[in-house]
Amino acid sequence: MIDSPTLPQGASNVTSSPSPLAGLRQRLSGRWLFATLLLAGGAVLSLLVLAPLYSLLSKSVENKDGDFVGLANFAHYLSSGGIESAFVNSLWVAALSTVIVVFLAFMAAWALTRTRLPLTGWVRGVLVLPILAPSLLPAISLVYLFGNQGVLKSWLFGAEIYGPIGIIMGSCFWTFPHALMILLTAMDNADGRHYEAATALKASPWRTFWTVTVPGARYGLVSAAFVVFTLVITDFGVPKVIGGQFDVLATDIYKQVIGQQRFEMGAVVSVLLLLPAMLAFVADRYVQRKQSASFTARSVPYKPSHNRRRDAFGALMLAPTVVFILTIIGMAVYASFVTFWPYNLELSLNNYQFGRMDGGGWGAYLNSLQMALGTMVLGTALVFFNAWLVERTPQPKLLTGVFQMLSLLPLAVPGLVLGLSYIFFFNHPDNPLNVIYGSLLILVLCTVSHFYAVSHLTAITALKQLDQEFEAVGESLKASRWRVLFTVTLPLCLPAILDVALYLFVNAMTTVSAVVFLYGHDTQLASVAVLAMDEAGDIAPAAAMAILITLTCAGAKLIQSGLRLWVDRSTRAWRQGAE
Amino acid sequence: MNQTTQGSRLEIQGVNKFFGDFCALENIDLTIEPGELVCFLGPSGCGKTTLLRIIAGLEQQSAGQLSQGDVDISLKPPRDRDFGIVFQSYALFPNMTVSDNIAYGLRSIGMAKARIRSRVDELLTVIGLEDHARKYPAQLSGGQQQRVALARALAPSPGLLLLDEPLSALDAQVRHHLRSEIRNLQKQLGVTTIMVTHDQEEALAMADRVVVMNNGVIEQVGTPLEIYQQPASAFVASFIGAMNFIDSAAVNGQRVRVGSRELELVRPMPESQDCVRLAIRPEDVHLLPAGDGDWEGQVESMDYLGAFIRTHIRLADLERLLVVDVDPRSARQLNLANGASVCLQLPSDALHCFAA
Ligand SMILES: Nc1ncnc2c1ncn2[C@@H]1O[C@H](COP(=O)(O)OP(=O)(O)OP(=O)(O)O)[C@@H](O)[C@H]1O
Ligand SMILES: [Mg+2]
């Protein structure tokens, strides 16, 4: 290795050096390569998120013919009275759902982590079940329970399920697991020393609850509130099925675009919907930034003591939620097998013969399966590769900062808004990419971007946990970053990779909002078929399809759990003592 | 080990490192001879790790050159430099067995399988972990993990071994043991070694030469004895071992005034200074029975530290208490006790002086 380069002013004793330039190239080749790759990753994300959003924004200030009209569209929409109903409706429905869900989820998380109730594993399993179902399922189920021919209609004392009550109940069902998982994460890591201190200071259980438990979970509570609020205000499935005449922003977009083909008005409503979502996103980021890890290596995990009364209270807190979730799912399953509700209650598989209905039938289901698998493979690869570039390769600070923002942006963009943006961007005649419009690929790309942020955060967290010096050791042992990636980083991240894969698969199977504008004649999807059948009045087949989607997701979850178990088994030796 | 690696000479010239506006290293010049063990010693944040990472190429210097052997390595990426490194966290690959960890660097240079196996076995014998070859790092103790990290770094026979606080994660006993083990291994292999530490005892015990750093500059380079006996600056004097500092005024080139008395100096005074700081180690102060000298003081407190007694003495001319180490036998002869009077002498050959 005598071909060593020198600095231009090289005051060294080196003899044969080719040129200073070669040295520079040698020195930078690694860095340049990785920076270029991350730049490419950033460009792809920009293309998938930023560019479509830009098209949407510009569309909202143009008229039908594409001339710039300033805020005229907004003025028109606001003066048409839409604002009073839809915007205000959206806000209060989302706010009320948030309060209910966060309260129930917090009590459930408390009962699961601070009591000694038996079977908590099973209870946890039931409580997160809704995540496997499309958001249309609770709405359909509620129709069967409380609708005009519903079995429990009398329980509403004459109130209508079609409207805010239905929307809130349905929203609570499907957003509950999201809040629960955030709160469980926040509360699982309780530091036992705080509880011991409280006991030593003779604090009552009630006071301990308010002075130790609640403050410990406050960041989780804030985060859960923002997440639920955003999910409800941007959801379209539940209000579409059970909203009746009750207008919310999400259904308004759908009506403007699909019903009246007024794309620029759809863009206007989208921008209005984007505002609260963005606000919630920024506020959440701001709050989370202040959070510092309170669970340190020195912490002692909390072990609840024996206390019958506390456990009974916990069971009381869990019971209504468990019953509600099981009822909703049970009703949907039952309804899907009933031959002709409510006249012929004989059970049959008639409703599963999708070939006879609208919405694409079994073909749609197969499309969904393909789309979800595509999203899973492409998304997981893209997410991990980019996260690896950010976290484990030398990068200019500015670039990682910009990339980080880009990857979190999808968290603030409602699915409907993203879907509509995709129409504007990818269906534009001048866009060379418009060949993919109407294909399965655009559905995959849209879904990957829609769920990019959470996957990205999971990947980053997993990569951050690895020793910061692995790459440096690799370099000193003459191993490239790539070899370290394949022999060390990826094997260590396998559990997180499986998590991200499942997350993407399940969401791709169940999502409606982003893809409802994008599917083409040959690319109908199962979740959209649920909607179409419901619209056509085929509610039972809609329930059947929703159940089929849920079962598919449950199957995926089972396979993933099996794989994780296998990974854990085969890596137990080297994880031993590492926890 | 039947084969010895020849260590290489490392030359560092005018190295600077800035993090934004912050200057982490300033004009570092240093030559490390083949086969030497050099310790970088200094308080937290003084730039030791930064300098080590620049030598490894993991961090790019803002200015200056480095050469190893006859090769200028200033701009080379880490992969093209010739070193092995052990980090504070060891950074062992948790998903690989002890043998696979050690073999990692040998595989990347494409060594034949059979040779890799014999090299790994050889290293396992050296570190005494023959029976643990199939274990994973998480199944080993801290000291064992440390040894594996060392073996992994040494496997490709690098000319330079870099150790960043390799012992700081271990408890005192293992640390003492590994200290001599590393030192013996290093001597045996003849590999040039740089070790970063902020434990002065460790540095003095292990190093051929110690590089004392402070605030991004090198304060002094020397053998442990030189550093201890002839500190080049007040910082080094106070950082290594214990030291009394006494403010004084210069009378002429050879004499200084402390309060009302004058003292003779043997060592040269810093030039053209009106005020100088005298320094003397606690064990260099002579104590005499009360009445046997003209400089008397009172014992304020005594700490029994095993082999010696650390005595704090109040003197009329000094603001600060003087710290004096006395062996127990002399203490008995002097009848030392709290409040007792005692006379003392500051031998001129033990007095250091620094610019005030
Ligand atoms: N990447 C960085 N960006 C900015 N400042 C840095 C960076 N790395 C180190 N520094 C600063 O440079 C100085 C020297 O750091 P260095 O890690 O070399 O200290 P050290 O002597 O190894 O200390 P310690 O004994 O605590 O490990 C510190 O003040 C540190 O804050
Ligand atoms: Mg350091």
Side-chain angles (χ1 to χ4, degrees):
Chain A
M1 239 179 269
I2 302 297
D3 59 339
S4 58
T6 52
L7 278 173
Q9 72 269 32
S12 78
N13 48 1
V14 174
T15 42
S16 61
S17 60
S19 78
L21 251 179
L24 205 63
R25 198 162 57 226
Q26 188 177 12
R27 165 186 156 197
L28 292 176
S29 63
R31 290 174 185 242
W32 275 119
L33 176 65
F34 294 120
T36 312
L37 284 172
L38 186 60
L39 214 58
V44 169
L45 269 191
S46 306
L47 198 68
L48 292 182
V49 183
L50 224 45
L53 276 184
Y54 174 77
S55 312
L56 175 94
L57 289 178
S58 56
K59 196 76 179 177
S60 71
V61 291
E62 284 170 7
N63 65 13
K64 248 192 162 55
D65 306 322
D67 305 319
F68 181 77
V69 293
L71 295 178
N73 292 331
F74 287 87
H76 177 75
Y77 179 73
L78 298 188
S79 64
S80 70
I83 182 71
E84 264 127 62
S85 48
F87 196 73
V88 173
N89 285 349
S90 276
L91 282 183
W92 78 260
V93 163
L96 192 55
S97 309
T98 304
V99 171
I100 297 171
V101 168
V102 171
F103 172 76
L104 289 176
F106 179 71
M107 291 323 293
W110 176 82
L112 289 173
T113 57
R114 301 290 190 274
T115 66
R116 290 190 149 210
L117 286 173
L119 300 178
T120 43
W122 286 97
V123 173
R124 267 187 204 220
V126 170
L127 290 178
V128 297
L129 267 185
I131 226 161
L132 303 176
S135 67
L136 299 162
L137 182 136
I140 292 171
S141 202
L142 285 169
V143 170
Y144 279 103
L145 285 168
F146 302 108
N148 289 332
Q149 291 160 334
V151 281
L152 302 174
K153 187 169 174 7
S154 58
W155 288 29
L156 289 181
F157 301 110
E160 273 268 324
I161 190 72
Y162 303 99
I165 298 181
I167 298 179
I168 291 175
M169 285 173 83
S171 301
C172 286
F173 173 86
W174 77 272
T175 58
F176 180 82
H178 296 268
L180 181 70
M181 286 193 296
I182 293 173
L183 287 167
L184 277 177
T185 316
M187 296 176 69
D188 259 342
N189 290 339
D191 189 342
R193 294 174 306 169
H194 294 158
Y195 285 87
E196 281 164 13
T199 315
L201 294 169
K202 314 230 180 313
S204 66
W206 182 244
R207 179 138 177 263
T208 307
F209 177 81
W210 282 108
T211 53
V212 179
T213 311
V214 174
R218 65 187 183 280
Y219 291 107
L221 283 169
V222 171
S223 205
F226 283 126
V227 165
V228 172
F229 181 84
T230 313
L231 286 175
V232 175
I233 204 169
T234 60
D235 173 50
F236 147 83
V238 172
K240 177 74 189 57
V241 172
I242 207 164
Q245 302 303 312
F246 188 81
D247 262 342
V248 292
L249 285 176
T251 45
D252 217 23
I253 298 179
Y254 185 72
K255 269 191 235 156
Q256 300 281 0
V257 174
I258 302 284
Q260 309 174 20
Q261 296 288 310
R262 289 166 63 187
F263 286 94
E264 68 291 338
M265 290 318 280
V268 165
V269 192
S270 292
V271 173
L272 290 179
L273 188 57
L274 202 54
L275 286 179
M278 283 275 182
L279 218 63
F281 169 73
V282 172
D284 185 40
R285 286 285 112 197
Y286 177 76
V287 173
Q288 299 305 324
R289 183 163 299 175
K290 295 191 158 179
Q291 177 173 21
S292 57
S294 60
F295 192 77
T296 57
R298 294 243 220 99
S299 301
V300 183
Y302 170 70
K303 292 237 168 52
S305 54
H306 281 285
N307 184 337
R308 283 266 168 85
R309 268 175 55 196
R310 185 204 53 210
D311 291 359
F313 181 68
L316 202 69
M317 286 290 124
L318 280 173
T321 316
V322 170
V323 169
F324 178 66
I325 288 173
L326 286 178
T327 309
I328 293 277
I329 294 178
M331 189 66 226
V333 173
Y334 177 61
S336 76
F337 289 114
V338 166
T339 312
F340 190 55
W341 186 275
Y343 308 108
N344 179 358
L345 294 183
E346 224 165 288
L347 300 185
S348 73
L349 280 175
N350 283 0
N351 298 320
Y352 285 84
Q353 290 168 2
F354 302 122
R356 302 205 212 124
M357 335 272 175
D358 277 359
W362 284 99
Y365 176 74
L366 291 179
N367 282 339
S368 263
L369 218 50
Q370 276 183 49
M371 198 275 271
L373 286 171
T375 303
M376 180 180 88
V377 173
L378 188 76
T380 310
L382 193 69
V383 162
F384 258 91
F385 187 61
N386 283 338
W388 174 75
L389 286 172
V390 169
E391 216 30 68
R392 310 296 304 194
T393 62
Q395 297 287 354
K397 267 217 172 71
L398 184 71
L399 188 57
T400 47
V402 170
F403 188 85
Q404 201 75 325
M405 268 173 36
L406 265 179
S407 4
L408 293 185
L409 183 63
L411 212 52
V413 182
L416 269 185
V417 176
L418 191 68
L420 196 57
S421 310
Y422 267 52
I423 301 188
F424 296 141
F425 183 68
F426 285 102
N427 197 26
H428 200 282
D430 296 338
N431 188 341
L433 293 173
N434 61 18
V435 288
I436 67 166
Y437 191 76
S439 70
L440 212 51
L441 181 62
I442 196 173
L443 294 173
V444 168
L445 291 178
C446 180
T447 312
V448 168
S449 355
H450 189 180
F451 299 106
Y452 194 90
V454 173
S455 321
H456 174 75
L457 287 175
T458 310
I460 289 277
T461 311
L463 288 166
K464 256 200 203 333
Q465 280 166 356
L466 306 184
D467 194 301
Q468 286 307 312
E469 310 291 4
F470 280 155
E471 278 78 12
V473 167
E475 296 241 359
S476 79
L477 297 174
K478 314 260 181 279
S480 65
R481 271 167 207 276
W482 301 100
R483 186 165 163 234
V484 176
L485 169 67
F486 287 110
T487 55
V488 181
T489 315
L490 284 183
L492 290 178
C493 285
L494 216 49
I497 291 175
L498 288 174
D499 284 351
V500 167
L502 179 73
Y503 171 83
L504 286 172
F505 181 87
V506 165
N507 277 295
M509 276 309 288
T510 57
T511 187
V512 182
S513 57
V515 292
V516 74
F517 296 128
L518 290 178
Y519 67 91
H521 185 260
D522 303 325
T523 57
Q524 303 204 33
L525 297 174
S527 54
V528 181
V530 177
L531 191 71
M533 291 189 278
D534 174 75
E535 259 183 348
D538 297 328
I539 307 186
M545 185 65 99
I547 288 300
L548 192 62
I549 294 174
T550 311
L551 279 178
T552 310
C553 292
K557 169 80 190 157
L558 275 182
I559 293 175
Q560 192 251 13
S561 304
L563 283 174
R564 273 203 71 156
L565 204 67
W566 173 73
V567 168
D568 284 352
R569 281 262 166 80
S570 52
T571 62
R572 185 180 298 156
W574 53 265
R575 286 186 198 279
Q576 228 172 51
E579 304 308 87
Chain B
M1 182 159 307
N2 44 26
Q3 147 209 21
T4 47
T5 356
Q6 189 49 59
S8 51
R9 175 192 167 93
L10 183 77
E11 219 168 310
I12 302 168
Q13 287 173 4
V15 162
N16 277 293
K17 176 69 187 178
F18 287 90
F19 290 111
D21 285 340
F22 175 73
C23 180
L25 289 176
E26 198 180 334
N27 253 324
I28 302 290
D29 290 308
L30 185 64
T31 305
I32 293 166
E33 300 297 338
E36 227 184 350
L37 193 157
V38 168
C39 275
F40 292 174
L41 178 63
S44 189
C46 69
K48 307 177 297 278
T49 299
T50 307
L51 183 55
L52 193 80
R53 292 179 72 92
I54 286 176
I55 293 170
L58 297 169
E59 202 82 67
Q60 192 66 47
Q61 71 273 21
S62 311
Q65 280 108 345
L66 298 104
S67 54
Q68 187 177 2
D70 292 328
V71 184
D72 184 327
I73 55 165
S74 313
L75 293 176
K76 291 204 171 199
R79 247 149 59 74
D80 298 344
R81 301 185 184 194
D82 175 28
F83 70 94
I85 191 163
V86 176
F87 290 99
Q88 196 172 352
S89 63
Y90 313 145
L92 291 173
F93 302 132
N95 57 328
M96 296 181 198
T97 60
V98 168
S99 331
D100 287 338
N101 264 288
I102 298 176
Y104 199 84
L106 304 174
R107 298 217 170 98
S108 29
I109 52 177
M111 193 184 266
K113 274 215 174 108
R115 280 192 59 203
I116 292 184
R117 194 166 320 133
S118 68
R119 176 76 179 147
V120 169
D121 287 344
E122 188 181 48
L123 282 158
L124 282 170
T125 318
V126 169
I127 59 170
L129 291 179
E130 303 94 324
D131 300 337
H132 303 273
R134 300 267 117 233
K135 285 193 179 168
Y136 290 96
Q139 299 165 320
L140 301 178
S141 73
Q144 290 172 329
Q145 290 180 20
Q146 215 287 331
R147 277 177 242 188
V148 176
L150 198 62
R152 182 178 65 177
L154 288 171
S157 309
L160 179 63
L161 178 63
L162 305 176
L163 310 168
D164 191 358
E165 312 218 5
L167 303 176
S168 63
L170 304 170
D171 55 45
Q173 231 167 4
V174 184
R175 197 148 75 201
H176 278 266
H177 180 62
L178 272 176
R179 221 187 248 175
S180 47
E181 211 168 279
I182 291 180
R183 181 59 170 147
N184 291 340
L185 187 61
Q186 187 267 339
K187 271 197 180 138
Q188 194 182 337
L189 300 177
V191 57
T192 314
T193 302
I194 301 177
M195 183 172 126
V196 164
T197 177
H198 57 239
D199 179 344
Q200 46 163 304
E201 201 189 311
E202 198 170 287
L204 297 181
M206 292 176 74
D208 291 312
R209 285 193 303 153
V210 178
V211 176
V212 184
M213 298 177 64
N214 188 28
N215 281 333
V217 298
I218 293 183
E219 293 267 345
Q220 186 175 6
V221 182
T223 64
L225 207 63
E226 283 168 356
I227 299 271
Y228 190 79
Q229 293 188 335
Q230 296 149 40
S233 66
F235 171 79
V236 177
S238 62
F239 189 71
I240 311 280
M243 188 67 99
N244 289 295
F245 285 96
I246 304 167
D247 291 328
S248 69
V251 177
N252 59 39
Q254 228 47 67
R255 298 182 71 78
V256 293
R257 178 186 302 283
V258 177
S260 58
R261 66 192 65 236
E262 289 193 3
L263 296 174
E264 189 99 23
L265 296 183
V266 177
R267 290 171 216 254
M269 257 206 284
E271 297 213 349
S272 61
Q273 291 272 343
D274 293 338
C275 298
V276 290
R277 287 179 84 189
L278 297 180
I280 187 162
R281 300 233 178 249
E283 70 268 25
D284 288 340
V285 179
H286 280 193
L287 290 187
L288 306 167
D292 276 16
D294 60 346
W295 202 353
E296 204 169 283
Q298 268 74 45
V299 176
E300 286 263 318
S301 65
M302 296 169 68
D303 301 332
Y304 294 87
L305 300 178
F308 62 90
I309 300 169
R310 181 149 288 183
T311 319
H312 298 261
I313 298 176
R314 179 170 300 287
L315 290 170
D317 289 315
L318 297 185
E319 274 175 38
R320 270 186 274 174
L321 298 180
L322 197 71
V323 180
V324 182
D325 290 346
V326 206
D327 62 288
R329 193 194 310 185
S330 325
R332 266 197 306 277
Q333 285 164 358
L334 291 165
N335 281 324
L336 283 192
N338 282 346
S341 294
V342 65
C343 281
L344 55 80
Q345 257 178 7
L346 307 182
S348 18
D349 58 352
L351 276 175
H352 307 270
C353 56
F354 304 105

